[in-house]
Amino acid sequence: MNSIQVGVLMGSSSDWDTMQHAVQILQDFGIAHEARVVSAHRMPDDMFTYAEAAAERGLKAIIAGAGGAAHLPGMLAAKTVVPVLGVPVASKHLSGVDSLHSIVQMPKGIPVATFAIGAAGAANAALFAVALLASHDPELRHKLDAFRAQQTAAARAMTLPA
């Protein structure tokens, strides 16, 4: 796959600690992606340009991480028909609950799929993007099935102390 299929956006470089987990999953599955900082507050024109061009560029999903006020996922979703997957990034003050509430409170007509706060949410957003792409790609579907089978096998192999 040569053309970029998934955009991973974050409001600031400090969100990378969380969003790198999405990028790692995309890399593991061989999905062409890009990772960028596009702040809804500091660079709104860049954010609108990105969102408006996303479908034309061939993006199939946008994973948007946001901390604090968490405007990025919703603002992107307002400007594109490409599915936006929101990842709340833990903040210093409210541990990401503020971001979670902001992302899930989108008004009717502005859909944003919302995931858990932090690294697990970023990884799951990427896996959701993989599942979206796998619905039209048998090879990717096979990789996803194998990944899930491995997770199941690992869970079955876990032993608890006596």
Side-chain angles (χ1 to χ4, degrees):
M1 296 176 196
N2 293 335
S3 64
I4 294 170
Q5 294 186 298
V6 178
V8 179
L9 301 183
M10 57 212 89
S12 71
S13 59
S14 64
D15 297 341
W16 177 246
D17 286 345
T18 296
M19 300 308 292
Q20 68 181 325
H21 299 279
V23 168
Q24 185 61 56
I25 293 285
L26 296 172
Q27 288 173 342
D28 290 348
F29 279 91
I31 295 174
H33 62 281
E34 61 190 7
R36 295 186 184 180
V37 171
V38 180
S39 171
H41 299 104
R42 293 182 183 92
M43 35 203 315
D45 293 335
D46 293 355
M47 180 198 59
F48 286 145
T49 299
Y50 187 93
E52 290 167 346
E56 184 178 302
R57 290 182 51 225
L59 292 181
K60 304 297 184 214
I62 299 170
I63 302 171
H71 290 108
L72 184 61
M75 296 300 290
L76 288 165
K79 299 296 282 183
T80 187
V81 296
V82 172
V84 175
L85 316 176
V87 177
V89 175
S91 59
K92 294 177 188 173
H93 304 291
L94 296 173
S95 303
V97 173
D98 52 340
S99 302
L100 175 66
H101 287 175
S102 180
I103 296 170
V104 299
Q105 303 275 346
M106 291 299 108
K108 181 179 180 180
I110 310 297
V112 176
T114 308
F115 294 85
I117 298 167
N124 283 337
L127 287 167
F128 191 87
V130 171
L132 285 172
L133 295 169
S135 68
H136 300 290
D137 182 337
E139 182 181 332
L140 190 55
R141 173 64 187 255
H142 178 72
K143 287 182 182 179
L144 185 57
D145 286 341
F147 173 84
R148 291 195 174 152
Q150 185 225 8
Q151 283 186 309
T152 300
R156 285 186 177 135
M158 286 185 200
T159 57
L160 298 174

